[in-house]
Amino acid sequence: MTTFQRVHAKPPPRPPSVTDLPEGSRLLYKVLAGSHATNLATPESDYDWRGVYQAPTRSLLGLQSPPETIQVPPDETYWELSHFARLCLKGNPNIMELLWTRNPDPTGHVQSETIRAIQDIRTSFFTTSMVAAYLGWVTKERRILGNVEKADKLTGKRGSHLVRLLMGLTTALTKGYLPVWLEGADRDLCMAIKMGERSQTEILYTIDMMTLRCKGLAAAANWPEPDPRAIEDIVIRARMEML
């Protein structure tokens, strides 16, 4: 029997952080991320916001390029459109999840036609690069987790995150979509790990078994190499609109 409970607190409304973006930019996307987006929040969980901004086309022609990433303390991160598109093609786990996030409460969210167009082709980012990005991240973090001498709160949080990533990759490989909001047994397992109800040995074993399965599924799925043409067309159209 687990001791945790679901958290249904309504996220506090947050206005778009336009004033924190370069002058003339437009906010294309803003969404609640982290534990509140995955159904793994606890009363102590922070509200993490992630998004995409578009720098003015003119700024790309000058001597200084706009920042690829903007971090607004304490809990907001924005990627410039072109950088975001490149990360999509690389299958970056954080970026992949943003394309599939569906928060129950949209308060404070921003979504543009440009982002909707990218979401319309999001399964095209299911490529060999995404498999490599997910398994590479898991391998690196699993090594850190395995070197921890004594399990602590961070161990559970990191372990839960890795198991959740592997769950997502497994579903993408077998069912063609990426789950972000967890329910049922998947949520129960991730939450139990996060709350310290699984030993470090159990966590590592779970990660290792899931990793092996993902490798086998990836070999069978035979996903293609990334193709930049569709998302590049979307970026170019967005740039032309801001000429």
Side-chain angles (χ1 to χ4, degrees), residues 200-238:
Q200 186 174 3
T201 300
E202 289 177 294
I203 296 171
L204 294 175
Y205 178 78
T206 300
I207 292 171
D208 290 343
M209 292 301 99
M210 294 182 72
T211 299
L212 284 175
R213 185 174 185 227
C214 284
K215 289 180 178 179
L217 291 171
N222 194 29
W223 277 358
E225 295 292 319
D227 185 344
R229 289 174 294 181
I231 194 169
E232 187 172 45
D233 286 345
I234 293 171
V235 172
I236 290 173
R237 287 200 303 270

Side-chain angles (χ1 to χ4, degrees), residues 5 12 51 100 102 128 150 156 159-160 170 172 180 217 219 225 227 242:
Q5 295 181 347
W100 294 84
R102 290 291 184 270
T128 55
K150 183 179 180 181
S160 176
T170 298
V180 178
L217 291 171
E225 295 292 319
D227 185 344
M242 289 190 71

